[in-house]
Amino acid sequence: ACPSPQQVPAGSKAPFFLGTATASYQVEGAFKEGGRGESIWDVFSHTPGKTFEGQDGDVAVDFYHRYKDDIALMQTLGLRNFRFSLSWMRILPNGTGTVNQEGVAFYNKLIDTLKAACIEPHITLYHWDFPQALYERYGSWIDPRVVVDFAAYAETAFELFGDRVKNWFTLNEPESYCLLGYGSGVHAPGRCTDRSRCSAGEAGEDLKCIYYSALAHASAVKVFRQLVPDGVIAMTNAIGMSVPYNASSQEDVAAAQRNQAFNGGFVLDPLYTGDWGAERKQVHGQQLPAFTPEQKALLLENQQDFIALQHYTSNYAYYNKDKPPLLVDTTTKSIDGVQLVQADSPWLYVFPSAMRDLLNWLTQRYNQSILITENGVSAPGEYDKPRAEVLCDQFRVSYFQQYISNATVAVQQDGVQLLGYFAWSLLDNFEWADGYSKRFGTIYIDYNSTGLDRYYKGSSMWLSNHFGLTGIRSGPVANSTSSTGG
Ligand code: PNW
């Protein structure tokens, strides 16, 4: 028997457990194997001009074939928790209908190998790879049929794996896939109103997407309570913190609070109140699809077990008298003129103290415990640098060290209830529109080697040490053909 994977080991410097995370399209590859159906990300990445250098997830980091080796790497680091997502199209190639037994067999092997290694599986049902067959029928998250189809897929997954897997997530970051996939069009399915940039779409689809995502989530939670009564479930949400630019300005403080409620409450307000937040109503008005009394009841009666927070970056917010109050300006330069350090990804600035502020804001607004399901960084220049330099990823170590210590202070001094922490990501992987040019992994992939060889970066060893995990090998060691080591 395995000791509890969520118990904090003696010697840990953090009062919460550690895991690492991945997502199906970003790591699996094997896009035409095992009876897998097509997804919107296959189509999008194969469309010229959509991703960095036209890169795609056809092979990705070949996790589909190499998962045993990767589990062995996790074991060596002492990792006891692993979050991954199911490819909807491996289980239901057309999104609905007949179950593909080969896809089920793959996830059964993955789950059973993890369990044998005393690593707890945490499953995300949907991490952005929507079945193309359903997209062609009704356009995915902008149509009510998605609520029924997602709940049916969720039911299938709970029935198949719920006997062994007790930790579940419904949808990964609706605020990301709705705004990027239906607002700006830079992610699949590439819809937006600007026809010069997108092939399809109309105004308001990003809001419809959030609306149907919230309803699909609640419908899946409802099924979950019947089928996996001893499990826990949540949606994951990408949330940053708006910090007042000038803390002694009442106007900046108020502007930052409005911006925080507007962004941080976008999806969580509907989940916890059954309705849009006041800030959203003010800004979007009639564009917001209204929740009916039945839908409100569905949301309120099927609440998640905790907040699953994905946090990478934050900014300063300030009052601008020339703008409507809810269109708040932000900056990455402090009032003292200090510029926040930029990661390799242009949207990601390092702002560690905002982690503590955010955990407190969420606790005050929703009074829930929190699980950090993603936190991580791409380090400047990692794409081009020689391997030896990338492995010595002091930038990422420093990021983790500062963010985790701020989370630790939030627990120990502010009373935030933090359940655990998943670093993004276990492995370098397909970073969506950025292709392989951004490396979020704590384990390096040599994309030039035929075996897609893995190497520990310093950050994986730092995490293992910080959480008191090095040397822990509680389970039977999985068969490994891996020759990588650190
Ligand atoms: C996450 N932000 O999305 C996704 O869940 C991962 O699949 C992805 O690889 C990872 O971030 C790194 O990009 C986010 O702007 C994208 O704060 C953007 C933000 C947050 C999360």
Side-chain angles (χ1 to χ4, degrees):
C2 299
S4 161
Q6 299 181 6
Q7 197 187 316
V8 178
S12 177
K13 297 184 189 82
F16 40 86
F17 73 81
L18 173 69
T20 58
T22 62
S24 50
Y25 189 69
Q26 295 183 274
V27 299
E28 282 182 6
F31 79 122
K32 280 192 171 163
E33 283 179 63
R36 175 187 179 279
E38 202 177 23
S39 91
I40 57 170
W41 265 98
D42 296 314
V43 173
F44 188 77
S45 67
H46 294 156
T47 305
K50 297 298 185 189
T51 63
F52 175 80
E53 294 187 351
Q55 293 173 344
D56 56 49
D58 293 4
V59 178
V61 300
D62 201 25
F63 182 77
Y64 186 78
H65 295 112
R66 294 170 200 277
Y67 70 90
K68 280 188 184 157
D69 291 352
D70 292 335
I71 290 170
L73 296 179
M74 285 189 241
Q75 269 199 302
T76 307
L77 291 166
L79 291 166
R80 302 290 314 284
N81 293 278
F82 180 52
R83 171 175 172 252
F84 60 94
S85 77
L86 305 180
S87 160
W88 185 339
M89 306 72 46
R90 279 198 196 285
I91 295 169
L92 300 167
N94 293 313
T96 57
T98 316
V99 172
N100 169 36
Q101 290 307 330
E102 267 188 278
V104 175
F106 168 66
Y107 291 116
N108 273 332
K109 281 186 295 181
L110 173 57
I111 291 164
D112 293 342
T113 309
L114 286 166
K115 299 284 276 191
C118 287
I119 299 170
E120 191 70 10
H122 298 247
I123 291 186
T124 311
L125 284 166
Y126 178 74
H127 198 129
W128 304 2
D129 43 355
F130 194 84
Q132 178 66 15
L134 294 183
Y135 178 74
E136 285 169 13
R137 262 174 38 206
Y138 55 72
S140 64
W141 297 103
I142 52 179
D143 187 280
R145 282 170 278 187
V146 75
V147 177
V148 178
D149 287 344
F150 178 74
Y153 156 58
E155 180 168 353
T156 304
F158 300 149
E159 276 169 354
L160 288 166
F161 311 120
D163 56 333
R164 286 152 291 156
V165 181
K166 304 298 175 187
N167 298 279
W168 291 80
F169 303 101
T170 54
L171 304 171
N172 186 71
E173 302 181 347
E175 52 278 87
S176 296
Y177 66 74
C178 293
L179 297 184
L180 300 173
Y182 305 80
S184 61
V186 298
H187 277 193
R191 298 173 73 93
C192 68
T193 30
D194 178 356
R195 278 294 164 283
S196 64
R197 298 178 60 202
C198 299
S199 54
E202 54 191 69
E205 283 188 357
D206 47 356
L207 299 173
K208 267 193 193 172
C209 171
I210 299 281
Y211 173 76
Y212 289 118
S213 294
L215 297 174
H217 159 87
S219 304
V221 171
K222 185 173 183 176
V223 178
F224 184 75
R225 299 299 178 212
Q226 301 300 316
L227 294 180
V228 194
D230 55 344
V232 290
I233 192 161
M235 174 191 279
T236 71
N237 292 113
I239 304 177
M241 187 73 204
S242 286
V243 177
Y245 176 72
N246 179 355
S248 54
S249 153
Q250 284 305 315
E251 287 166 327
D252 282 7
V253 170
Q257 280 170 357
R258 289 194 300 271
N259 201 44
Q260 188 59 26
F262 181 76
N263 289 318
F266 194 9
V267 191
L268 285 175
D269 283 354
L271 296 197
Y272 285 114
T273 70
D275 198 3
W276 302 102
E279 298 78 11
R280 285 282 161 185
K281 286 185 180 174
Q282 277 177 54
V283 171
H284 301 301
Q286 292 302 315
Q287 268 207 344
L288 278 179
F291 292 102
T292 66
E294 293 74 29
Q295 290 169 340
K296 180 173 180 167
L298 176 79
L299 289 164
L300 291 178
E301 285 162 17
N302 297 285
Q303 293 200 358
Q304 57 186 10
D305 290 294
F306 45 77
I307 291 171
L309 170 66
Q310 322 221 126
H311 176 57
Y312 291 86
T313 192
S314 293
N315 52 36
Y316 298 100
Y318 58 93
Y319 177 65
N320 180 344
K321 63 175 172 35
D322 297 327
K323 279 196 169 172
L326 272 159
L327 295 182
V328 176
D329 283 340
T330 61
T331 174
T332 53
K333 200 178 260 187
S334 77
I335 191 171
D336 310 320
V338 181
Q339 171 66 51
L340 295 176
V341 174
Q342 199 188 328
D344 213 21
S345 307
W347 53 270
L348 208 174
Y349 289 83
V350 182
F351 198 159
S353 63
M355 165 68 97
R356 179 180 177 184
D357 296 339
L358 175 58
L359 291 171
N360 276 284
W361 181 82
L362 287 168
T363 302
Q364 275 158 29
R365 189 172 178 95
Y366 300 108
N367 191 26
Q368 299 285 310
S369 53
I370 301 167
L371 178 61
I372 296 174
T373 39
E374 284 182 24
N375 175 240
V377 74
S378 51
E382 274 187 321
Y383 181 56
D384 297 305
K385 279 198 280 189
R387 184 176 72 213
E389 283 177 45
V390 179
L391 297 187
C392 193
D393 60 338
Q394 188 52 43
F395 186 92
R396 183 172 289 102
V397 169
S398 167
Y399 178 98
F400 282 141
Q401 190 272 325
Q402 295 179 80
Y403 273 71
I404 291 166
S405 79
N406 272 283
T408 302
V409 170
V411 172
Q412 292 179 335
Q413 294 183 26
D414 309 335
V416 165
Q417 297 207 19
L418 186 56
L419 303 166
Y421 173 97
F422 288 83
W424 182 270
S425 175
L426 177 68
L427 306 164
D428 285 342
N429 60 53
F430 179 75
E431 176 58 11
W432 307 111
D434 289 330
Y436 301 95
S437 69
K438 302 287 180 277
R439 296 177 176 273
F440 277 81
T442 58
I443 291 175
Y444 178 89
I445 306 283
D446 183 350
Y447 292 112
N448 294 320
S449 64
T450 48
L452 290 167
D453 298 340
R454 275 80 160 137
Y455 297 83
Y456 295 114
K457 296 182 194 177
S459 56
S460 57
M461 293 180 269
W462 183 87
L463 284 170
S464 174
N465 261 308
H466 187 84
F467 283 83
L469 304 177
T470 300
I472 294 179
R473 295 177 196 221
S474 31
V477 176
N479 279 337
S480 171
T481 53
S482 171
S483 58
T484 55

